[in-house]
Amino acid sequence: MRTVNVGIIGLGTVGGGVARLILSHHDDYVASYGIDLNVKRGCALNEAAAAACGITGDAFTSDWHDVVNDPDIDIVVELIGGEHPATEIYEAAFAAGKHVVTANKALLGRHVERLAGLAREAGVQLRCEAAAAGGIPVVEALEHSFMGNHILTIAGIMNGTTNYILSRMTTEGSNFADVLADAQRLGYAEADPTADVDGFDAASKTAILASISFHTRVTTDDVYQQGIRKISAEDIAVAKDLGYTIKLLGIARNTPEGVEARVHPTMIPSTHQLAAVSGAMNAVYVVGDAVGETMFYGAGAGSFPTASAVVGDIFALAEPISRGEKPLAEVKPFEHVLPVLPIEKLSNSFYVRLRIADEVGVLAPVVAAFAEAGISISQINQLETETDGACSVVFITHEASEAAMENATTALEALPGVCEVANVIRIENIARWTEGVFDN
């Protein structure tokens, strides 16, 4: 049995969890798997933080070069996030013949093709289970367990912060701003919540999972993004009355025309499994042509859940290394094989909430604007009149193209009787998610 040396760069929430797991479970790993993992170096800016997770003495450094240049280290674990110096860490580690394990979704969502190519050229691996859904082992399942399938759909709640906010808004009837402020106070949301509430985090994860699932390159920039800032308690209450739940979903579909890749607030039937996922939990729903519908549920963030995924990747590399064998080199990265469809090419039913003047004759030009855009209405609900003399009216449309809805929104905003197009939310046709599943 050969000792496998690990160097961890970044000893914050996740990195500290990784160090603690390896150090506290070391004897169990040896007894159960015959693998002797050793955290040889840990890099952090704060020596006290490193000491708190068991990295002391010569094992500590504040310079990441010390980790990458250590000839005894087999696996470099990058957990600092961001593009720089993470990119330089990968490049240096690969050049030194070291494998890299990471949770850096923002970097991989945009540059995994290049970085995986560098790993392949160096004969090493780049592993990223923790970058897609925290502690949920969905990457391993997609890359191995579902190899006999043609993956049709990935749909998931991939950001715990937004799911926590929407869950509390649903159960308490609270507004977005109040719940966000409370989430920040409790540590569920960052001081700058942009990456979460505007959909950037979920888009990076959607890009990674779509690339793996469909064997084609999808970048974060390919993913349509819309966040939850405009979702109101009123929208959630109306959705509930209609039998829907509002979730921020990352959705990727492999269609004959190309790949759909989008993140946005979505109305799904309240009876669907994803609608029941509450609090800061995540879930990824995967549909394969052979296996049908599956769902992975768990914590998408946090110190130990994410560390669990990181350690899983470390073990996948450590198992052959401990036997004196060289892990296989990174597979050839996916290239842009399938087109990614622009959002304008897609179709949905829509929920449209307008604030209009509570006057006779105002609705006629509103309905006409929908008709002129080629959109038919299936349902109209007028809510209570507000103190300023305006009232909210909700329109549920039949299926229409995104381009048609954009035209209708522009026309509605120009009408004198329309005070505000308060919100437009897509109503997902979940039957499409299972199109192409084999009959059993």
Side-chain angles (χ1 to χ4, degrees):
M1 179 172 60
R2 150 161 147 43
T3 297
V4 179
N5 289 310
V6 177
I8 304 173
I9 301 174
L11 295 169
T13 300
V14 177
V18 172
R20 288 184 178 94
L21 277 184
I22 294 175
L23 293 171
S24 63
H25 294 346
H26 173 269
D27 293 346
D28 292 336
Y29 296 155
V30 173
S32 299
Y33 308 110
I35 296 175
D36 176 21
L37 281 184
N38 175 45
V39 180
K40 189 167 189 295
R41 302 300 292 270
C43 177
L45 296 178
N46 188 326
E47 187 169 1
C53 58
I55 306 298
T56 59
D58 292 341
F60 170 77
T61 180
S62 59
D63 185 350
W64 63 262
H65 294 88
D66 293 336
V67 176
V68 172
N69 294 333
D70 188 326
D72 293 330
I73 287 178
D74 303 290
I75 302 167
V76 173
V77 181
E78 179 274 307
L79 296 170
I80 58 174
E83 291 201 17
H84 302 285
T87 300
E88 291 74 20
I89 290 170
Y90 293 15
E91 293 170 344
F94 297 151
K98 302 182 190 304
H99 308 279
V100 173
V101 173
T102 184
N104 195 332
K105 52 192 171 286
L107 178 58
L108 296 186
R110 286 193 162 91
H111 303 296
V112 70
E113 185 174 8
R114 173 178 172 272
L115 295 171
L118 291 176
R120 179 176 175 80
E121 291 172 7
V124 295
Q125 286 189 29
L126 170 61
R127 298 187 66 91
C128 63
E129 178 68 75
I136 303 174
V138 66
V139 171
E140 176 71 17
L142 290 170
E143 290 184 334
H144 297 98
S145 302
F146 291 156
M147 285 181 68
N149 287 258
H150 177 71
I151 302 299
L152 304 169
T153 301
I154 298 285
I157 296 168
M158 301 183 192
N159 182 270
T161 299
T162 52
N163 200 53
Y164 172 83
I165 292 170
L166 290 174
S167 295
R168 282 196 51 190
M169 291 176 68
T170 299
T171 57
E172 300 172 10
S174 305
N175 64 50
F176 170 79
D178 289 344
V179 178
L180 173 60
D182 203 31
Q184 290 171 316
R185 181 181 62 80
L186 295 171
Y188 286 107
E190 301 288 343
D192 178 2
T194 301
D196 294 324
V197 302
D198 291 335
F200 294 100
D201 176 76
S204 296
K205 297 172 182 177
T206 301
I208 292 169
L209 293 179
S211 297
I212 295 169
S213 300
F214 308 146
H215 304 160
T216 188
R217 184 72 189 106
V218 179
T219 70
T220 305
D221 295 334
D222 293 325
V223 181
Y224 171 82
Q225 296 171 224
Q226 181 186 349
I228 65 169
R229 292 182 190 269
K230 291 185 69 175
I231 302 297
S232 70
E234 192 172 28
D235 296 322
I236 289 174
V238 175
K240 184 177 180 180
D241 289 342
L242 295 170
Y244 294 108
T245 299
I246 299 175
K247 294 291 187 182
L248 182 75
L249 295 184
I251 300 171
R253 294 182 60 234
N254 192 358
T255 77
E257 294 77 29
V259 172
E260 293 182 18
R262 47 197 168 96
V263 170
H264 51 70
T266 310
M267 287 189 180
I268 55 174
S270 296
T271 53
H272 193 273
Q273 301 97 312
L274 286 173
V277 178
S278 62
M281 302 303 284
N282 283 195
V284 182
Y285 173 88
V286 181
V287 182
D289 59 358
V291 72
E293 299 173 87
T294 66
M295 194 168 86
F296 298 79
Y297 170 88
S303 177
F304 289 116
T306 308
S308 169
V310 172
V311 173
D313 275 343
I314 292 171
F315 262 93
L317 295 166
E319 197 269 337
I321 293 173
S322 69
R323 299 196 310 265
E325 299 173 5
K326 185 176 181 180
L328 295 174
E330 183 69 27
V331 298
K332 183 179 179 181
F334 300 123
E335 299 175 347
H336 290 270
V337 178
L338 302 176
V340 179
L341 301 175
I343 192 70
E344 294 79 15
K345 297 288 186 181
L346 309 185
S347 297
N348 278 291
S349 296
F350 293 90
Y351 159 102
V352 183
R353 180 168 60 86
L354 306 179
R355 292 184 65 253
I356 64 175
D358 193 5
E359 300 171 359
V360 175
V362 172
L363 273 181
V366 169
V367 174
F370 280 109
E372 289 169 8
I375 300 173
S376 62
I377 305 299
S378 67
Q379 189 173 342
I380 302 176
N381 295 328
Q382 180 170 336
L383 308 182
E384 294 183 3
T385 301
E386 300 170 15
T387 55
D388 60 358
C391 65
S392 287
V393 179
V394 170
F395 297 82
I396 305 298
T397 77
H398 290 292
E399 188 165 300
S401 71
E402 293 273 352
M405 180 51 65
E406 182 66 28
N407 291 337
T409 301
T410 301
L412 290 167
E413 289 173 337
L415 293 176
V418 175
C419 305
E420 179 188 15
V421 178
N423 217 340
V424 177
I425 304 174
R426 296 162 182 84
I427 302 173
E428 188 70 15
N429 180 355
I430 62 171
R432 286 181 179 158
W433 291 359
T434 56
E435 289 177 354
V437 174
F438 296 149
D439 294 329
N440 289 316

